[in-house]
Amino acid sequence: MNKRAWTAVLLAAICLTGCTSAPAGSSQSGENESLTPASETAAEETAPEQTDAPETEAPPVTEAPAEQGGSSEVITEAVKANKTDTDTKILFSERGLEAVQINSTDGYGEELKVGASYLDWTLEAFDGVLSDDAQTVSSMDADFTYNNGTLAVNGIVTVLSRDDPNNPNAMYLRVDNQGDFPYFTNDYRDRGRYIIENSRDVFAMLELKEPPVDEQYEVAVSVSVTKLHIHTGAYDTIRVTAASKR
């Protein structure tokens, strides 16, 4: 083979080697070229830099105010001293007190209203219960406070025995000066007998042994009273602020 033919063979071999080293249309790259796919490369180039968001404190949670009349509203009863009954009234005269239906023209005397005085006692509150026919008053509760501080009373204190069936607070007072106390003319119970509300105090004032006792006994006393609660359907009660034997 002559020199020119040998050169042609060499050139053909070089051409074949260069053509198979890379596909058509591809670019030649060096050893340090990245092998990351183009889509990932584009995402990395366009994605904004990630930074940690600053921690922010959540706003305080506030409860909505309760609506008036809602279940969270505490409804309290009216002060008893301001209470006036709406279906009964009390009349007063020299005869005593009388409870009648609010619209009744029967009865004797003038109307005694809350805040008014009778026998130096102020009517603080009252509540009457009508009979089934709603024409008469079957029972009456009335609360009085003495106007001039305390009322001095002479009377007999009875300490009830343990087996007495009617012994609330184990002590009641029978007053001598019954005319100084309000009473209802249609109340046929014994006048001037009152359960002592604060009997424990009175036992201490009189230096008596607290019940129960085996036998009923009586003590003559002088007492000072401030409040009177008439309950024609139950026990009348009284509050004593001072007591001594006589």
Side-chain angles (χ1 to χ4, degrees):
M1 183 179 296
N2 57 29
K3 184 177 181 181
R4 182 175 294 179
W6 179 251
T7 300
V9 171
L10 289 177
L11 289 174
I14 292 172
C15 180
L16 289 174
T17 303
C19 291
T20 56
S21 62
S26 66
S27 60
Q28 298 292 330
S29 60
E31 294 180 358
N32 59 347
E33 186 176 7
S34 174
L35 299 179
T36 305
S39 59
E40 293 185 12
T41 303
E44 288 183 359
E45 291 177 354
T46 58
E49 182 179 359
Q50 297 294 324
T51 58
D52 294 334
E55 295 183 2
T56 57
E57 187 174 333
V61 177
T62 57
E63 296 181 359
E67 296 181 3
Q68 294 298 316
S71 60
S72 63
E73 184 181 6
V74 178
I75 307 299
T76 57
E77 293 181 348
V79 177
K80 190 174 184 182
N82 294 331
K83 180 179 178 181
T84 301
D85 198 7
T86 58
D87 54 9
T88 65
K89 61 184 177 181
I90 296 175
L91 304 178
F92 74 96
S93 67
E94 70 280 2
R95 300 178 184 177
L97 302 177
E98 189 173 351
V100 296
Q101 195 260 4
I102 188 71
N103 297 318
S104 175
T105 56
D106 298 332
Y108 179 77
E110 300 178 33
E111 185 176 357
L112 182 66
K113 297 184 178 182
V114 169
S117 293
Y118 173 73
L119 295 180
D120 289 330
W121 292 88
T122 297
L123 178 62
E124 300 288 355
F126 69 94
D127 185 17
V129 177
L130 294 176
S131 59
D132 292 340
D133 61 6
Q135 299 302 311
T136 59
V137 179
S138 59
S139 66
M140 171 63 71
D141 294 342
D143 300 335
F144 294 89
T145 300
Y146 193 68
N147 293 347
N148 302 316
T150 59
L151 173 64
V153 177
N154 288 330
I156 301 294
V157 159
T158 301
V159 178
L160 301 171
S161 63
R162 70 172 73 227
D163 59 356
D164 192 297
N166 300 306
N167 64 342
N169 288 15
M171 178 183 283
Y172 72 83
L173 171 68
R174 184 176 71 252
V175 300
D176 293 342
N177 46 334
Q178 296 177 3
D180 292 334
F181 290 83
Y183 77 100
F184 285 86
T185 57
N186 57 349
D187 185 357
Y188 299 107
R189 298 174 300 173
D190 289 340
R191 283 185 59 188
R193 291 176 180 265
Y194 305 102
I195 296 295
I196 297 177
E197 294 177 353
N198 55 325
S199 61
R200 284 184 175 274
D201 297 335
V202 177
F203 276 108
M205 294 173 189
L206 298 177
E207 298 180 343
L208 300 175
K209 179 184 177 181
E210 288 194 27
V213 297
D214 293 329
E215 295 184 4
Q216 176 177 304
Y217 65 91
E218 296 180 344
V219 180
V221 296
S222 294
V223 299
S224 297
V225 298
T226 58
K227 293 181 181 296
L228 171 65
H229 309 282
I230 297 176
H231 311 286
T232 60
Y235 297 100
D236 294 344
T237 61
I238 201 167
R239 178 162 288 273
V240 174
T241 57
S244 61
K245 297 177 182 178
R246 63 179 174 91

